[in-house]
Amino acid sequence: MTELQEVQITEEKPLLPGQTPEMAKTHSVETPYGAVTFTVYGTPKPKRPAILTYHDVGLNYKSCFQPLFQSGDMQEIIQNFVRVHVDAPGMEEGAPVYPVGYQYPSLDQLADTIPCILQYLNFSTIIGVGVGAGAYILSRYALNHQDTVEGLVLINIDPNAKGWMDWAAHKLTGLTSSIPEMILGHLFSQEELSGNSELIQKYRNIITHAPNLENIELYWNSYNNRRDLNFERGGDITLKCPVMLVVGDQAPHEEAVVECNSKLDPTQTSFLKMADSGGQPQLTQPGKLTEAFKYFLQGMGYMASSCMTRLSRSRTASLTSAASIDGSRSRARTLSQSSESGTLPSGPPGHTMEVSC
């Protein structure tokens, strides 16, 4: 039987004019792979799925998603959906350090903990929002539980297992770089790290001085030992739900996301490449990403009356066909349309939207 601990807190964050504090309920549920902590915001809405998030390595749900869900543009969405923010085991604030030799779950096993969360909450369907390792976990869950996933927003997903060359490069990097530096190289582009902006300094400090750094390393090792998702366009192994792939221009995982796009069903997949957003678009461009998320939700039949503003003011928007099976951007057919008229073409599923502001 699932064991549960529940703590109710009021989330401390800057409020918009007229906005009231949100009540967050934090739970810890026992699963076959250890305790998992998750935080619920809002109340379930009739005939609407929950938005469930899963964070990347080196982060927790707050450091990964707070800038996005606290942005003013996101308020319309959070009023319409209950949200479940999952922390990977040992990543939650105040988590005790696991003992030496602890067997941390694989990413596949972490995906198998999600049914325990949904069963306790009595939620039947979700829209998943994942970054990096979290995007992989939600994809694995969707492959195994297709009927419970209405849509996925996958940021920086790498669906491939590490090859021998990747392993060699990883081992060589480990000889000269610390775990925090390797994780920062996973999260941000080299250009961002060299620029050492205030954002980079903040996250370098968060990761380097994390009291649960040993736990973070275990999550990092599980990510590097991930299996290939084996996506195949037109094959049996694919995501059946609508998918929005997101990556920043020149981000560390740009090529992996482009390749993922080439393997998924073009009628169900949208690919958003965000200019000037670096490796973590949910941190650097929350407004643009929120606007794209609204379009995605509208395409699923939700929030039909939502007003679009930010992307409509973009100077340029490109719709690039995703018909190229090998994902080669040089072979893609590009249709450019100015957005000066104040409208942005939504386009059919299976297209790439490159946004620059």
Side-chain angles (χ1 to χ4, degrees), residues 145-181:
H145 304 273
Q146 296 178 9
D147 293 341
T148 68
V149 182
E150 292 195 21
L152 289 172
V153 178
L154 305 175
I155 304 170
N156 296 337
I157 185 172
D158 187 342
N160 303 315
K162 280 186 174 293
W164 288 110
M165 293 299 292
D166 297 318
W167 266 112
H170 178 72
K171 292 297 184 183
L172 288 174
T173 303
L175 295 176
T176 57
S177 301
S178 65
I179 293 297
E181 288 302 319

PDB file of all heavy atoms in Angstrom, residues 145-181:
ATOM      1  N   HIS A 145       2.290   4.273 -21.034  1.00  0.00           N
ATOM      2  CA  HIS A 145       0.943   4.603 -20.547  1.00  0.00           C
ATOM      3  C   HIS A 145       0.293   5.619 -21.489  1.00  0.00           C
ATOM      4  O   HIS A 145      -0.062   6.727 -21.082  1.00  0.00           O
ATOM      5  CB  HIS A 145       1.015   5.160 -19.122  1.00  0.00           C
ATOM      6  CG  HIS A 145       1.688   4.260 -18.140  1.00  0.00           C
ATOM      7  ND1 HIS A 145       1.011   3.273 -17.440  1.00  0.00           N
ATOM      8  CD2 HIS A 145       2.978   4.173 -17.746  1.00  0.00           C
ATOM      9  CE1 HIS A 145       1.862   2.634 -16.649  1.00  0.00           C
ATOM     10  NE2 HIS A 145       3.064   3.166 -16.813  1.00  0.00           N
ATOM     11  N   GLN A 146       0.138   5.231 -22.731  1.00  0.00           N
ATOM     12  CA  GLN A 146      -0.319   6.168 -23.750  1.00  0.00           C
ATOM     13  C   GLN A 146      -1.693   6.753 -23.449  1.00  0.00           C
ATOM     14  O   GLN A 146      -1.956   7.928 -23.755  1.00  0.00           O
ATOM     15  CB  GLN A 146      -0.331   5.481 -25.112  1.00  0.00           C
ATOM     16  CG  GLN A 146       1.035   5.049 -25.595  1.00  0.00           C
ATOM     17  CD  GLN A 146       0.984   4.333 -26.931  1.00  0.00           C
ATOM     18  OE1 GLN A 146      -0.047   4.293 -27.585  1.00  0.00           O
ATOM     19  NE2 GLN A 146       2.115   3.761 -27.338  1.00  0.00           N
ATOM     20  N   ASP A 147      -2.551   5.979 -22.842  1.00  0.00           N
ATOM     21  CA  ASP A 147      -3.923   6.443 -22.609  1.00  0.00           C
ATOM     22  C   ASP A 147      -4.013   7.533 -21.547  1.00  0.00           C
ATOM     23  O   ASP A 147      -5.049   8.191 -21.428  1.00  0.00           O
ATOM     24  CB  ASP A 147      -4.824   5.272 -22.197  1.00  0.00           C
ATOM     25  CG  ASP A 147      -5.020   4.267 -23.324  1.00  0.00           C
ATOM     26  OD1 ASP A 147      -4.777   4.635 -24.492  1.00  0.00           O
ATOM     27  OD2 ASP A 147      -5.410   3.120 -23.033  1.00  0.00           O
ATOM     28  N   THR A 148      -2.964   7.726 -20.776  1.00  0.00           N
ATOM     29  CA  THR A 148      -3.016   8.705 -19.687  1.00  0.00           C
ATOM     30  C   THR A 148      -2.301  10.016 -20.028  1.00  0.00           C
ATOM     31  O   THR A 148      -2.272  10.919 -19.201  1.00  0.00           O
ATOM     32  CB  THR A 148      -2.397   8.124 -18.403  1.00  0.00           C
ATOM     33  OG1 THR A 148      -0.986   7.961 -18.593  1.00  0.00           O
ATOM     34  CG2 THR A 148      -3.026   6.794 -18.040  1.00  0.00           C
ATOM     35  N   VAL A 149      -1.726  10.118 -21.223  1.00  0.00           N
ATOM     36  CA  VAL A 149      -0.966  11.315 -21.593  1.00  0.00           C
ATOM     37  C   VAL A 149      -1.658  12.000 -22.766  1.00  0.00           C
ATOM     38  O   VAL A 149      -1.726  11.454 -23.867  1.00  0.00           O
ATOM     39  CB  VAL A 149       0.490  10.964 -21.968  1.00  0.00           C
ATOM     40  CG1 VAL A 149       1.271  12.234 -22.308  1.00  0.00           C
ATOM     41  CG2 VAL A 149       1.170  10.213 -20.831  1.00  0.00           C
ATOM     42  N   GLU A 150      -2.162  13.211 -22.515  1.00  0.00           N
ATOM     43  CA  GLU A 150      -2.850  13.959 -23.570  1.00  0.00           C
ATOM     44  C   GLU A 150      -1.886  14.771 -24.415  1.00  0.00           C
ATOM     45  O   GLU A 150      -2.180  15.079 -25.575  1.00  0.00           O
ATOM     46  CB  GLU A 150      -3.909  14.880 -22.963  1.00  0.00           C
ATOM     47  CG  GLU A 150      -5.078  14.138 -22.334  1.00  0.00           C
ATOM     48  CD  GLU A 150      -6.265  15.055 -22.087  1.00  0.00           C
ATOM     49  OE1 GLU A 150      -6.355  16.120 -22.739  1.00  0.00           O
ATOM     50  OE2 GLU A 150      -7.101  14.699 -21.238  1.00  0.00           O
ATOM     51  N   GLY A 151      -0.743  15.152 -23.858  1.00  0.00           N
ATOM     52  CA  GLY A 151       0.226  15.937 -24.606  1.00  0.00           C
ATOM     53  C   GLY A 151       1.533  16.034 -23.852  1.00  0.00           C
ATOM     54  O   GLY A 151       1.593  15.805 -22.642  1.00  0.00           O
ATOM     55  N   LEU A 152       2.602  16.362 -24.587  1.00  0.00           N
ATOM     56  CA  LEU A 152       3.925  16.479 -23.985  1.00  0.00           C
ATOM     57  C   LEU A 152       4.629  17.724 -24.519  1.00  0.00           C
ATOM     58  O   LEU A 152       4.623  17.980 -25.728  1.00  0.00           O
ATOM     59  CB  LEU A 152       4.792  15.259 -24.311  1.00  0.00           C
ATOM     60  CG  LEU A 152       4.456  13.923 -23.643  1.00  0.00           C
ATOM     61  CD1 LEU A 152       5.303  12.812 -24.234  1.00  0.00           C
ATOM     62  CD2 LEU A 152       4.656  14.004 -22.135  1.00  0.00           C
ATOM     63  N   VAL A 153       5.246  18.471 -23.611  1.00  0.00           N
ATOM     64  CA  VAL A 153       6.162  19.549 -23.973  1.00  0.00           C
ATOM     65  C   VAL A 153       7.544  19.090 -23.521  1.00  0.00           C
ATOM     66  O   VAL A 153       7.801  18.947 -22.319  1.00  0.00           O
ATOM     67  CB  VAL A 153       5.787  20.875 -23.299  1.00  0.00           C
ATOM     68  CG1 VAL A 153       6.805  21.956 -23.657  1.00  0.00           C
ATOM     69  CG2 VAL A 153       4.388  21.302 -23.711  1.00  0.00           C
ATOM     70  N   LEU A 154       8.422  18.820 -24.480  1.00  0.00           N
ATOM     71  CA  LEU A 154       9.718  18.214 -24.196  1.00  0.00           C
ATOM     72  C   LEU A 154      10.818  19.207 -24.554  1.00  0.00           C
ATOM     73  O   LEU A 154      11.039  19.511 -25.730  1.00  0.00           O
ATOM     74  CB  LEU A 154       9.885  16.911 -24.991  1.00  0.00           C
ATOM     75  CG  LEU A 154       8.778  15.869 -24.792  1.00  0.00           C
ATOM     76  CD1 LEU A 154       9.001  14.676 -25.720  1.00  0.00           C
ATOM     77  CD2 LEU A 154       8.715  15.413 -23.329  1.00  0.00           C
ATOM     78  N   ILE A 155      11.505  19.703 -23.542  1.00  0.00           N
ATOM     79  CA  ILE A 155      12.572  20.683 -23.715  1.00  0.00           C
ATOM     80  C   ILE A 155      13.915  19.973 -23.592  1.00  0.00           C
ATOM     81  O   ILE A 155      14.161  19.248 -22.632  1.00  0.00           O
ATOM     82  CB  ILE A 155      12.468  21.795 -22.657  1.00  0.00           C
ATOM     83  CG1 ILE A 155      11.075  22.452 -22.707  1.00  0.00           C
ATOM     84  CG2 ILE A 155      13.562  22.844 -22.842  1.00  0.00           C
ATOM     85  CD1 ILE A 155      10.799  23.400 -21.549  1.00  0.00           C
ATOM     86  N   ASN A 156      14.767  20.143 -24.606  1.00  0.00           N
ATOM     87  CA  ASN A 156      16.133  19.587 -24.577  1.00  0.00           C
ATOM     88  C   ASN A 156      16.155  18.069 -24.459  1.00  0.00           C
ATOM     89  O   ASN A 156      17.033  17.511 -23.794  1.00  0.00           O
ATOM     90  CB  ASN A 156      16.942  20.193 -23.421  1.00  0.00           C
ATOM     91  CG  ASN A 156      17.149  21.682 -23.571  1.00  0.00           C
ATOM     92  OD1 ASN A 156      17.084  22.225 -24.676  1.00  0.00           O
ATOM     93  ND2 ASN A 156      17.380  22.368 -22.464  1.00  0.00           N
ATOM     94  N   ILE A 157      15.236  17.386 -25.092  1.00  0.00           N
ATOM     95  CA  ILE A 157      15.220  15.925 -24.980  1.00  0.00           C
ATOM     96  C   ILE A 157      16.322  15.298 -25.841  1.00  0.00           C
ATOM     97  O   ILE A 157      16.552  15.712 -26.977  1.00  0.00           O
ATOM     98  CB  ILE A 157      13.854  15.344 -25.370  1.00  0.00           C
ATOM     99  CG1 ILE A 157      13.858  13.825 -25.106  1.00  0.00           C
ATOM    100  CG2 ILE A 157      13.493  15.661 -26.817  1.00  0.00           C
ATOM    101  CD1 ILE A 157      12.509  13.166 -25.264  1.00  0.00           C
ATOM    102  N   ASP A 158      17.002  14.333 -25.281  1.00  0.00           N
ATOM    103  CA  ASP A 158      17.926  13.480 -26.029  1.00  0.00           C
ATOM    104  C   ASP A 158      17.411  12.050 -25.875  1.00  0.00           C
ATOM    105  O   ASP A 158      17.591  11.436 -24.830  1.00  0.00           O
ATOM    106  CB  ASP A 158      19.346  13.592 -25.487  1.00  0.00           C
ATOM    107  CG  ASP A 158      20.360  12.856 -26.359  1.00  0.00           C
ATOM    108  OD1 ASP A 158      19.936  11.995 -27.169  1.00  0.00           O
ATOM    109  OD2 ASP A 158      21.570  13.127 -26.229  1.00  0.00           O
ATOM    110  N   PRO A 159      16.766  11.505 -26.922  1.00  0.00           N
ATOM    111  CA  PRO A 159      16.151  10.186 -26.796  1.00  0.00           C
ATOM    112  C   PRO A 159      17.125   9.035 -26.983  1.00  0.00           C
ATOM    113  O   PRO A 159      16.740   7.870 -26.879  1.00  0.00           O
ATOM    114  CB  PRO A 159      15.121  10.193 -27.923  1.00  0.00           C
ATOM    115  CG  PRO A 159      15.752  11.040 -28.982  1.00  0.00           C
ATOM    116  CD  PRO A 159      16.519  12.113 -28.239  1.00  0.00           C
ATOM    117  N   ASN A 160      18.390   9.358 -27.255  1.00  0.00           N
ATOM    118  CA  ASN A 160      19.363   8.323 -27.584  1.00  0.00           C
ATOM    119  C   ASN A 160      20.216   7.937 -26.387  1.00  0.00           C
ATOM    120  O   ASN A 160      20.565   8.784 -25.551  1.00  0.00           O
ATOM    121  CB  ASN A 160      20.287   8.810 -28.706  1.00  0.00           C
ATOM    122  CG  ASN A 160      19.517   9.205 -29.944  1.00  0.00           C
ATOM    123  OD1 ASN A 160      18.609   8.499 -30.379  1.00  0.00           O
ATOM    124  ND2 ASN A 160      19.863  10.355 -30.524  1.00  0.00           N
ATOM    125  N   ALA A 161      20.555   6.656 -26.316  1.00  0.00           N
ATOM    126  CA  ALA A 161      21.542   6.219 -25.337  1.00  0.00           C
ATOM    127  C   ALA A 161      22.910   6.726 -25.766  1.00  0.00           C
ATOM    128  O   ALA A 161      23.146   7.029 -26.938  1.00  0.00           O
ATOM    129  CB  ALA A 161      21.540   4.686 -25.250  1.00  0.00           C
ATOM    130  N   LYS A 162      23.819   6.849 -24.808  1.00  0.00           N
ATOM    131  CA  LYS A 162      25.175   7.275 -25.147  1.00  0.00           C
ATOM    132  C   LYS A 162      25.894   6.187 -25.939  1.00  0.00           C
ATOM    133  O   LYS A 162      25.877   5.018 -25.566  1.00  0.00           O
ATOM    134  CB  LYS A 162      25.978   7.587 -23.874  1.00  0.00           C
ATOM    135  CG  LYS A 162      25.683   8.957 -23.281  1.00  0.00           C
ATOM    136  CD  LYS A 162      26.613   9.245 -22.134  1.00  0.00           C
ATOM    137  CE  LYS A 162      26.436  10.656 -21.610  1.00  0.00           C
ATOM    138  NZ  LYS A 162      26.850  11.678 -22.582  1.00  0.00           N
ATOM    139  N   GLY A 163      26.522   6.577 -27.049  1.00  0.00           N
ATOM    140  CA  GLY A 163      27.332   5.644 -27.820  1.00  0.00           C
ATOM    141  C   GLY A 163      28.747   5.564 -27.252  1.00  0.00           C
ATOM    142  O   GLY A 163      29.099   6.248 -26.288  1.00  0.00           O
ATOM    143  N   TRP A 164      29.573   4.729 -27.882  1.00  0.00           N
ATOM    144  CA  TRP A 164      30.942   4.559 -27.382  1.00  0.00           C
ATOM    145  C   TRP A 164      31.729   5.854 -27.438  1.00  0.00           C
ATOM    146  O   TRP A 164      32.493   6.172 -26.525  1.00  0.00           O
ATOM    147  CB  TRP A 164      31.656   3.472 -28.197  1.00  0.00           C
ATOM    148  CG  TRP A 164      31.161   2.096 -27.896  1.00  0.00           C
ATOM    149  CD1 TRP A 164      30.426   1.286 -28.704  1.00  0.00           C
ATOM    150  CD2 TRP A 164      31.352   1.365 -26.683  1.00  0.00           C
ATOM    151  NE1 TRP A 164      30.137   0.093 -28.075  1.00  0.00           N
ATOM    152  CE2 TRP A 164      30.703   0.109 -26.830  1.00  0.00           C
ATOM    153  CE3 TRP A 164      32.014   1.642 -25.468  1.00  0.00           C
ATOM    154  CZ2 TRP A 164      30.696  -0.846 -25.827  1.00  0.00           C
ATOM    155  CZ3 TRP A 164      32.009   0.680 -24.463  1.00  0.00           C
ATOM    156  CH2 TRP A 164      31.348  -0.546 -24.652  1.00  0.00           C
ATOM    157  N   MET A 165      31.553   6.638 -28.507  1.00  0.00           N
ATOM    158  CA  MET A 165      32.262   7.906 -28.612  1.00  0.00           C
ATOM    159  C   MET A 165      31.800   8.877 -27.530  1.00  0.00           C
ATOM    160  O   MET A 165      32.601   9.614 -26.954  1.00  0.00           O
ATOM    161  CB  MET A 165      32.042   8.511 -30.002  1.00  0.00           C
ATOM    162  CG  MET A 165      32.674   7.700 -31.129  1.00  0.00           C
ATOM    163  SD  MET A 165      34.467   7.572 -30.955  1.00  0.00           S
ATOM    164  CE  MET A 165      34.952   9.276 -31.243  1.00  0.00           C
ATOM    165  N   ASP A 166      30.498   8.867 -27.256  1.00  0.00           N
ATOM    166  CA  ASP A 166      29.975   9.724 -26.192  1.00  0.00           C
ATOM    167  C   ASP A 166      30.553   9.330 -24.840  1.00  0.00           C
ATOM    168  O   ASP A 166      30.906  10.186 -24.018  1.00  0.00           O
ATOM    169  CB  ASP A 166      28.443   9.637 -26.142  1.00  0.00           C
ATOM    170  CG  ASP A 166      27.792  10.135 -27.406  1.00  0.00           C
ATOM    171  OD1 ASP A 166      28.237  11.167 -27.921  1.00  0.00           O
ATOM    172  OD2 ASP A 166      26.842   9.480 -27.879  1.00  0.00           O
ATOM    173  N   TRP A 167      30.614   8.002 -24.617  1.00  0.00           N
ATOM    174  CA  TRP A 167      31.157   7.527 -23.347  1.00  0.00           C
ATOM    175  C   TRP A 167      32.622   7.923 -23.187  1.00  0.00           C
ATOM    176  O   TRP A 167      33.054   8.354 -22.107  1.00  0.00           O
ATOM    177  CB  TRP A 167      31.018   6.010 -23.256  1.00  0.00           C
ATOM    178  CG  TRP A 167      29.775   5.575 -22.555  1.00  0.00           C
ATOM    179  CD1 TRP A 167      28.699   4.943 -23.088  1.00  0.00           C
ATOM    180  CD2 TRP A 167      29.454   5.783 -21.174  1.00  0.00           C
ATOM    181  NE1 TRP A 167      27.718   4.746 -22.141  1.00  0.00           N
ATOM    182  CE2 TRP A 167      28.156   5.245 -20.957  1.00  0.00           C
ATOM    183  CE3 TRP A 167      30.122   6.377 -20.100  1.00  0.00           C
ATOM    184  CZ2 TRP A 167      27.534   5.278 -19.716  1.00  0.00           C
ATOM    185  CZ3 TRP A 167      29.491   6.408 -18.861  1.00  0.00           C
ATOM    186  CH2 TRP A 167      28.223   5.857 -18.686  1.00  0.00           C
ATOM    187  N   ALA A 168      33.394   7.795 -24.268  1.00  0.00           N
ATOM    188  CA  ALA A 168      34.809   8.162 -24.201  1.00  0.00           C
ATOM    189  C   ALA A 168      34.969   9.648 -23.898  1.00  0.00           C
ATOM    190  O   ALA A 168      35.792  10.040 -23.055  1.00  0.00           O
ATOM    191  CB  ALA A 168      35.494   7.813 -25.525  1.00  0.00           C
ATOM    192  N   ALA A 169      34.170  10.466 -24.573  1.00  0.00           N
ATOM    193  CA  ALA A 169      34.244  11.906 -24.334  1.00  0.00           C
ATOM    194  C   ALA A 169      33.834  12.240 -22.904  1.00  0.00           C
ATOM    195  O   ALA A 169      34.440  13.102 -22.253  1.00  0.00           O
ATOM    196  CB  ALA A 169      33.354  12.638 -25.333  1.00  0.00           C
ATOM    197  N   HIS A 170      32.816  11.539 -22.419  1.00  0.00           N
ATOM    198  CA  HIS A 170      32.341  11.773 -21.044  1.00  0.00           C
ATOM    199  C   HIS A 170      33.420  11.411 -20.030  1.00  0.00           C
ATOM    200  O   HIS A 170      33.646  12.144 -19.056  1.00  0.00           O
ATOM    201  CB  HIS A 170      31.075  10.952 -20.805  1.00  0.00           C
ATOM    202  CG  HIS A 170      30.521  11.070 -19.419  1.00  0.00           C
ATOM    203  ND1 HIS A 170      29.887  12.216 -18.960  1.00  0.00           N
ATOM    204  CD2 HIS A 170      30.510  10.202 -18.373  1.00  0.00           C
ATOM    205  CE1 HIS A 170      29.501  12.037 -17.711  1.00  0.00           C
ATOM    206  NE2 HIS A 170      29.864  10.827 -17.331  1.00  0.00           N
ATOM    207  N   LYS A 171      34.074  10.277 -20.243  1.00  0.00           N
ATOM    208  CA  LYS A 171      35.119   9.845 -19.313  1.00  0.00           C
ATOM    209  C   LYS A 171      36.298  10.812 -19.321  1.00  0.00           C
ATOM    210  O   LYS A 171      36.861  11.148 -18.271  1.00  0.00           O
ATOM    211  CB  LYS A 171      35.593   8.430 -19.674  1.00  0.00           C
ATOM    212  CG  LYS A 171      34.545   7.350 -19.446  1.00  0.00           C
ATOM    213  CD  LYS A 171      34.171   7.241 -17.981  1.00  0.00           C
ATOM    214  CE  LYS A 171      33.183   6.092 -17.747  1.00  0.00           C
ATOM    215  NZ  LYS A 171      32.763   6.019 -16.325  1.00  0.00           N
ATOM    216  N   LEU A 172      36.686  11.274 -20.528  1.00  0.00           N
ATOM    217  CA  LEU A 172      37.804  12.210 -20.615  1.00  0.00           C
ATOM    218  C   LEU A 172      37.457  13.531 -19.939  1.00  0.00           C
ATOM    219  O   LEU A 172      38.285  14.122 -19.246  1.00  0.00           O
ATOM    220  CB  LEU A 172      38.172  12.450 -22.084  1.00  0.00           C
ATOM    221  CG  LEU A 172      38.857  11.281 -22.798  1.00  0.00           C
ATOM    222  CD1 LEU A 172      39.023  11.583 -24.278  1.00  0.00           C
ATOM    223  CD2 LEU A 172      40.217  10.986 -22.166  1.00  0.00           C
ATOM    224  N   THR A 173      36.219  13.978 -20.129  1.00  0.00           N
ATOM    225  CA  THR A 173      35.794  15.222 -19.485  1.00  0.00           C
ATOM    226  C   THR A 173      35.827  15.071 -17.975  1.00  0.00           C
ATOM    227  O   THR A 173      36.195  15.997 -17.250  1.00  0.00           O
ATOM    228  CB  THR A 173      34.372  15.609 -19.942  1.00  0.00           C
ATOM    229  OG1 THR A 173      34.349  15.730 -21.360  1.00  0.00           O
ATOM    230  CG2 THR A 173      33.930  16.915 -19.309  1.00  0.00           C
ATOM    231  N   GLY A 174      35.452  13.890 -17.492  1.00  0.00           N
ATOM    232  CA  GLY A 174      35.435  13.647 -16.056  1.00  0.00           C
ATOM    233  C   GLY A 174      36.809  13.695 -15.417  1.00  0.00           C
ATOM    234  O   GLY A 174      36.934  13.912 -14.209  1.00  0.00           O
ATOM    235  N   LEU A 175      37.852  13.488 -16.221  1.00  0.00           N
ATOM    236  CA  LEU A 175      39.210  13.546 -15.691  1.00  0.00           C
ATOM    237  C   LEU A 175      39.655  14.975 -15.411  1.00  0.00           C
ATOM    238  O   LEU A 175      40.539  15.203 -14.577  1.00  0.00           O
ATOM    239  CB  LEU A 175      40.185  12.883 -16.679  1.00  0.00           C
ATOM    240  CG  LEU A 175      39.996  11.386 -16.917  1.00  0.00           C
ATOM    241  CD1 LEU A 175      40.958  10.899 -17.990  1.00  0.00           C
ATOM    242  CD2 LEU A 175      40.203  10.607 -15.622  1.00  0.00           C
ATOM    243  N   THR A 176      39.066  15.927 -16.108  1.00  0.00           N
ATOM    244  CA  THR A 176      39.512  17.315 -15.986  1.00  0.00           C
ATOM    245  C   THR A 176      38.440  18.246 -15.434  1.00  0.00           C
ATOM    246  O   THR A 176      38.744  19.397 -15.105  1.00  0.00           O
ATOM    247  CB  THR A 176      39.959  17.848 -17.358  1.00  0.00           C
ATOM    248  OG1 THR A 176      38.876  17.726 -18.293  1.00  0.00           O
ATOM    249  CG2 THR A 176      41.149  17.050 -17.881  1.00  0.00           C
ATOM    250  N   SER A 177      37.190  17.786 -15.340  1.00  0.00           N
ATOM    251  CA  SER A 177      36.112  18.650 -14.882  1.00  0.00           C
ATOM    252  C   SER A 177      35.398  18.031 -13.688  1.00  0.00           C
ATOM    253  O   SER A 177      35.291  16.810 -13.582  1.00  0.00           O
ATOM    254  CB  SER A 177      35.092  18.878 -16.012  1.00  0.00           C
ATOM    255  OG  SER A 177      35.705  19.469 -17.132  1.00  0.00           O
ATOM    256  N   SER A 178      34.902  18.880 -12.804  1.00  0.00           N
ATOM    257  CA  SER A 178      34.140  18.417 -11.652  1.00  0.00           C
ATOM    258  C   SER A 178      32.722  18.070 -12.076  1.00  0.00           C
ATOM    259  O   SER A 178      32.266  18.443 -13.161  1.00  0.00           O
ATOM    260  CB  SER A 178      34.111  19.505 -10.577  1.00  0.00           C
ATOM    261  OG  SER A 178      33.403  20.650 -11.054  1.00  0.00           O
ATOM    262  N   ILE A 179      32.006  17.382 -11.207  1.00  0.00           N
ATOM    263  CA  ILE A 179      30.608  17.049 -11.485  1.00  0.00           C
ATOM    264  C   ILE A 179      29.774  18.311 -11.726  1.00  0.00           C
ATOM    265  O   ILE A 179      29.020  18.375 -12.708  1.00  0.00           O
ATOM    266  CB  ILE A 179      30.020  16.198 -10.349  1.00  0.00           C
ATOM    267  CG1 ILE A 179      30.689  14.815 -10.311  1.00  0.00           C
ATOM    268  CG2 ILE A 179      28.505  16.036 -10.529  1.00  0.00           C
ATOM    269  CD1 ILE A 179      30.463  13.970 -11.537  1.00  0.00           C
ATOM    270  N   PRO A 180      29.893  19.341 -10.884  1.00  0.00           N
ATOM    271  CA  PRO A 180      29.117  20.551 -11.151  1.00  0.00           C
ATOM    272  C   PRO A 180      29.414  21.161 -12.518  1.00  0.00           C
ATOM    273  O   PRO A 180      28.498  21.613 -13.215  1.00  0.00           O
ATOM    274  CB  PRO A 180      29.521  21.496 -10.020  1.00  0.00           C
ATOM    275  CG  PRO A 180      29.871  20.586  -8.887  1.00  0.00           C
ATOM    276  CD  PRO A 180      30.557  19.434  -9.552  1.00  0.00           C
ATOM    277  N   GLU A 181      30.669  21.172 -12.935  1.00  0.00           N
ATOM    278  CA  GLU A 181      31.011  21.764 -14.232  1.00  0.00           C
ATOM    279  C   GLU A 181      30.453  20.933 -15.376  1.00  0.00           C
ATOM    280  O   GLU A 181      30.002  21.480 -16.386  1.00  0.00           O
ATOM    281  CB  GLU A 181      32.529  21.913 -14.359  1.00  0.00           C
ATOM    282  CG  GLU A 181      33.125  23.010 -13.500  1.00  0.00           C
ATOM    283  CD  GLU A 181      32.527  24.384 -13.793  1.00  0.00           C
ATOM    284  OE1 GLU A 181      32.308  24.693 -14.982  1.00  0.00           O
ATOM    285  OE2 GLU A 181      32.274  25.134 -12.838  1.00  0.00           O
TER     286      GLU A 181
END
